[in-house]
Structures are given as C-alpha cells and as structure tokens.
C-alpha cells in the first residue's frame, strides 16, 4: 500500500545499512553499515528486481552476502510502500530507512515555506553536469522571445 511503510519492528531493527535509490538509473546503491554512509559508496549497486529475486548473476559481490542482501530487500520493501512524493524526498541520498527518512523529511517540510527543494537540487546538479561536459568553444545560449 502506497504511503504506508511496509515494515515490522523486526525489520526496522535490521535496517543498519545505508542505501540510496538513484532516480537516474533506477538502481539501489549500497553505502555501507558504518555510523555514517561511505562518501563514495561501496561501489555496489543493483536493479531492484535482481535484489528482490536474489539473482546472484546480477548482484555485485557485496550484495550477494546474505546479511547485505536481506538489508537491501527490507530497504526496497519500505521504498515500495512510499508515495511518489515521499520517494522524491529521499531518493538520491543515502538513508538507512526510507520510511523513517520520508517521515522526517515530511515533518521538516511542513514547517518550511518552500516544498520544491528536491527538484531544485536535481536541476542544479543537471546544470553543473552540463556545464562540466560542454565541449570547448560551445557557448550556452539563452533564448529570449520578443513580442
């Protein structure tokens, strides 16, 4: 059911690994189980269907380990229970529990006057990427319309 976290108290206790869902690739990225996420991640990511099916051929070594695989499956179960707006609030950033992070983001957003931060961050990132990948000599053109 969308909007409700698909977790039990036992699964919440097991959620000690940091993961991030990429809006760009649709893959789940592992960031370790340290107190803070590893800055560059673990270099391990997989499609949700490979994680759900425990497809060893499609999983990197770090996610084939039973404890890591179970943590990824629990994380994805919570992710599936989030509404689109809750997903937007937590995608592309490492969190241990997407349901908990979404509820925290919603609480923080209710006291804020601006609720468009996630889309602005993605737009800024895209603009930075475009700027850094523009071929030499190519100038960005701003189109202006006249009456």
């Amino acid at each position: 059911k969308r909007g409700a976290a698909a977790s039990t108290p036992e699964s919440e206790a097991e959620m000690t690994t940091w993961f991030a869902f990429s809006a760009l690739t649709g893959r789940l990225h592992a960031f370790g189980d340290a107190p803070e996420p590893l800055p560059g991640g673990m270099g391990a990511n997989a499609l949700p269907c490979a994680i759900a099916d425990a497809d060893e051929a499609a999983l990197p070594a770090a996610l084939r380990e039973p404890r890591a695989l179970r943590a990824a499956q629990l994380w994805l179960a919570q992710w599936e229970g989030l509404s689109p707006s809750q997903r937007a609030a937590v995608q592309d950033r490492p969190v241990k529990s997407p349901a908990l992070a979404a509820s925290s983001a919603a609480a923080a957003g209710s006291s804020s006057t601006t609720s468009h931060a996630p889309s602005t961050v993605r737009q800024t990132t895209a603009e930075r990427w475009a700027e850094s990948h523009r071929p030499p000599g190519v100038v960005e053109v701003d189109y202006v319309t006249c009456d």
Side-chain angles (χ1 to χ4, degrees), residues 65-81:
E65 191 267 315
R67 185 171 175 260
L69 179 60
R70 175 73 179 141
Q73 289 169 333
L74 290 171
W75 197 99
L76 283 172
Q78 281 195 4
W79 176 259
E80 289 298 320

Side-chain angles (χ1 to χ4, degrees), residues 22-120:
S22 170
L24 181 64
T25 64
R27 299 174 82 83
L28 186 67
H29 294 260
F31 284 83
D33 58 1
E36 294 294 320
L38 296 172
M42 295 174 58
N45 64 75
L47 291 169
C49 59
I51 293 169
D53 296 342
D55 181 359
E56 290 194 17
L59 292 174
L63 289 175
R64 281 188 224 130
E65 191 267 315
R67 185 171 175 260
L69 179 60
R70 175 73 179 141
Q73 289 169 333
L74 290 171
W75 197 99
L76 283 172
Q78 281 195 4
W79 176 259
E80 289 298 320
L82 299 179
S83 69
S85 62
Q86 289 173 317
R87 287 181 182 189
V90 298
Q91 71 187 10
D92 296 319
R93 59 185 191 118
V95 295
K96 287 185 177 182
S97 166
L100 183 60
S103 64
S104 296
S110 64
S111 63
S112 171
T113 57
T114 305
S115 62
H116 302 290
S119 63
T120 303

Side-chain angles (χ1 to χ4, degrees), residues 10 13 18 35 49 62 123:
E10 299 84 38
W18 296 90
C49 59
Q123 182 180 14

